[in-house]
Amino acid sequence: MYGYGADKTLDLKSTFRVFSKVIQVNTLEANDTVGYNAIYKASGREKIAVIPIGYADGIIRKNTGRVIYINDKPYKTASRYYCL
């Protein structure tokens, strides 16, 4: 029971947290792509952070596009693996 479900009427709460660290920060230019099959395309110059966490750690593709926090500031994920 992870505390997540498709049925919003259940009002489930998160039952866990996962922690990791940023290992790399890159600057993307417009039209640069990131991720398997280039799933994310930069709309302009932007920074993207790489976080070493993935499927083996319990992160599933269903979580694509969710928010993660770095130093208590929210960021959307940009790929099927966790980049922002």
Side-chain angles (χ1 to χ4, degrees), residues 21-57:
K21 292 183 178 186
V22 172
I23 59 167
Q24 187 176 14
V25 177
N26 298 310
T27 301
L28 301 179
E29 300 297 334
N31 299 316
D32 283 350
T33 58
V34 174
Y36 301 116
N37 297 318
I39 195 164
Y40 179 79
K41 187 182 220 180
S43 58
R45 187 178 178 94
E46 58 189 81
K47 288 188 178 180
I48 192 162
V50 178
I51 300 169
I53 193 165
Y55 307 128
D57 305 301

Side-chain angles (χ1 to χ4, degrees), residues 4-12 66:
Y4 291 104
D7 185 353
K8 299 297 182 194
T9 62
L10 295 176
D11 193 32
L12 297 175
R66 293 205 179 190

